[in-house]
């Protein structure tokens, strides 16, 4: 259930699990939730929430391509979940550090799209590249709107 996020990473020896309840319009919830240390390039600062438009906190991608880099990642399966909106016809490609395309999504104008990817990093630092194909952007400084980018070890 996307409303719940594990607070502690579960292991095979775990006796119990603790989850946080994350309602849609939680003003304290960040748009980017990554276990560990990360850097983000090609995005504006967070803004919102905007209850009038039923939008949580959001972050605009303003450079193409944008990158999300993580440090000290173990070689275990990770889950990448994103929620993204384009105001004009667009697509989004997500690639790993070797240039392997992990996902290619066609975005419907004016509608949020959910993207889920399973990925096992090779370990250490790794970066995800987010490249948008937007033939006629409505605003060259605000390419895609993200309400969620979550990366966690499964």
């Amino acid at each position: 259930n996307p409303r719940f996020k594990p607070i502690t990473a579960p292991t095979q020896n775990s006796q119990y699990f603790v989850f946080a309840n994350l309602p849609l319009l939680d003003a304290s919830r960040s748009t980017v939730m990554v276990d560990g240390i990360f850097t983000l390039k090609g995005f504006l600062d967070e803004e919102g929430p905007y209850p009038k438009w039923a939008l949580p906190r959001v972050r605009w991608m303003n450079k193409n391509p944008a990158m999300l880099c993580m440090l000290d990642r173990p070689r275990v399966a990770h889950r990448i979940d994103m929620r993204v909106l384009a105001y004009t016809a667009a697509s989004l490609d997500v690639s790993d550090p070797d240039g392997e395309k992990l996902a290619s999504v066609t975005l419907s104008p004016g509608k949020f799209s959910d993207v889920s990817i399973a990925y096992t990093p090779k370990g250490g630092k790794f970066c995800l590249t987010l490249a948008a194909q937007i033939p006629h952007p409505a605003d060259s400084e605000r390419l895609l709107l993200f309400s969620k980018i979550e990366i966690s070890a499964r």
Side-chain angles (χ1 to χ4, degrees):
N1 184 334
R3 291 188 51 178
F4 298 95
K5 178 184 186 325
I7 292 176
T8 57
T11 66
Q12 291 181 351
N13 299 329
S14 296
Q15 297 291 323
Y16 59 89
F17 304 101
V18 179
F19 292 86
N21 188 347
L22 304 172
L24 178 65
L25 295 176
D26 183 356
S28 65
R29 182 172 184 248
S30 175
T31 54
V32 180
M33 297 176 67
V34 176
D35 295 339
I37 300 169
F38 69 95
T39 61
L40 193 62
K41 295 177 185 173
F43 287 86
L44 297 175
D45 291 335
E46 283 189 356
E47 55 184 83
Y50 299 109
K52 179 179 178 180
W53 297 296
L55 286 174
R57 293 184 61 79
V58 293
R59 183 182 297 262
W60 286 98
M61 179 177 152
N62 69 330
K63 302 286 185 219
N64 197 16
M67 296 188 82
L68 174 65
C69 297
M70 290 153 283
L71 303 174
D72 300 324
R73 301 314 299 170
R75 293 180 179 175
V76 298
H78 282 67
R79 181 178 174 92
I80 303 164
D81 291 305
M82 294 183 280
R83 188 162 172 78
V84 58
L85 175 132
Y87 281 104
T88 62
S91 64
L92 175 67
D93 293 332
V94 180
S95 302
D96 74 1
D98 297 325
E100 180 182 333
K101 197 177 290 186
L102 304 176
S104 185
V105 181
T106 301
L107 304 172
S108 298
K111 295 183 181 179
F112 273 100
S113 297
D114 292 311
V115 180
S116 290
I117 304 165
Y119 176 65
T120 302
K122 294 179 175 95
K125 176 183 175 182
F126 83 92
C127 297
L128 296 175
T129 301
L130 287 74
Q133 287 73 44
I134 308 173
H136 307 288
D139 182 341
S140 61
E141 289 297 312
R142 289 173 172 78
L143 301 171
L144 298 175
L145 185 66
F146 287 80
S147 65
K148 175 174 76 170
I149 301 174
E150 292 181 1
I151 302 176
S152 59
R154 291 213 252 180

